[in-house]
Amino acid sequence: MKHVFKKGTNATAPTLLMLHGTGGNEHDLLSIASMIDEEANVLSVRGNVLENGVPRFFKRLAMGVLDQEDLALRTKELHDYIKEASEEYGFDRENVVAVGYSNGANIAANLVMTEKNSLAGAILYHPMIPNQDAKIPELTGLPVFIGAGVNDQMVPYTESEGLKAMLLEHGAEVDMHVEPYGHQLTGSEVEASKIWYNRNFKQTN
């Protein structure tokens, strides 16, 4: 998978897996990674699917209607790639935190919901429920941050709330941050996710 890897300066920090939104690329979220943890490894991946010439992580049949067969295939592909990258770059496969926006958040959510122990945590900006019928593994203690906008026209706020409920039901520890805006990723949302990240992943002396 096309990607950028940046070696971090703190060996105990998680590796941040950055997953862009529709039409983005592997460079889009690098500044967000730096805001969250400038000391962490960063693995930023480009989606392997093109929709009208722009990258995505999986196909959709229509706006808001995901191609479940392709979603399953691409989620497994991403899961396998994280392992390959950990071997290539020498980071801890068990200490990866996904940071996804929109389409990237959806594949990260599906990774959590279908691949047991695939992530140490996840920051999901404006996700929807990727798969209503997922056989979700035990997620006890898994930290998840969800950012949502009450006026989001792309992903109804109720979708993010529904995802939170599904993850909580299987034991995840979910924090949800709500903005009075739309689908855009705001500075205050990123700041809230950084505070959440520091609380869950920064070692204190």
Side-chain angles (χ1 to χ4, degrees):
M1 298 182 78
K2 289 190 170 126
H3 67 279
V4 170
F5 181 78
K6 295 176 67 177
K7 181 75 173 172
T9 57
N10 181 354
T12 65
T15 294
L16 300 180
L17 173 68
M18 310 304 293
L19 303 166
H20 62 77
T22 297
N25 61 45
E26 65 273 29
H27 301 284
D28 273 20
L29 298 183
L30 294 179
S31 61
I32 303 294
S34 295
M35 290 179 204
I36 294 171
D37 189 349
E38 61 184 6
E39 297 179 334
N41 295 327
V42 177
L43 177 66
S44 189
V45 180
R46 184 192 301 186
N48 268 350
V49 171
L50 288 179
E51 178 182 275
N52 299 321
V54 300
R56 281 175 55 85
F57 284 98
F58 53 86
K59 296 175 186 175
R60 58 184 167 184
L61 304 176
M63 188 67 73
V65 183
L66 310 186
D67 183 327
Q68 292 296 326
E69 185 177 342
D70 192 62
L71 173 61
L73 172 72
R74 301 299 177 176
T75 301
K76 183 71 167 63
E77 179 182 65
L78 179 61
H79 181 264
D80 292 345
Y81 178 69
I82 300 168
K83 184 174 188 300
E84 289 173 24
S86 71
E87 292 167 354
E88 180 179 356
Y89 294 114
F91 62 80
D92 182 359
R93 174 63 187 87
E94 305 301 313
N95 195 19
V96 174
V97 174
V99 182
Y101 168 62
S102 191
N103 180 240
N106 292 339
I107 197 166
N110 202 57
L111 197 57
V112 167
M113 294 167 71
T114 59
E115 298 285 351
K116 187 173 175 61
N117 299 324
S118 57
L119 296 169
I123 295 174
L124 309 175
Y125 300 124
H126 301 262
M128 62 189 290
I129 299 169
N131 181 357
Q132 289 277 6
D133 302 318
K135 294 180 172 57
I136 303 174
E138 183 58 45
L139 302 175
T140 301
L142 181 75
V144 177
F145 174 95
I146 294 177
V150 290
N151 295 305
D152 193 330
Q153 298 299 310
M154 297 281 291
V155 178
Y157 171 67
T158 51
E159 279 281 325
S160 295
E161 279 197 317
L163 177 61
K164 175 185 176 181
M166 289 177 77
L167 297 177
L168 283 172
E169 187 180 342
H170 290 83
E173 296 179 359
V174 185
D175 282 46
M176 190 161 173
H177 175 82
V178 181
E179 298 266 333
Y181 306 114
H183 197 63
Q184 70 268 33
L185 181 55
T186 66
S188 52
E189 192 175 340
V190 174
E191 182 60 28
S193 67
K194 177 180 179 176
I195 292 168
W196 170 90
Y197 173 88
N198 286 344
R199 188 169 71 245
N200 285 280
F201 295 101
K202 280 289 194 181
Q203 295 185 354
T204 54
N205 297 322

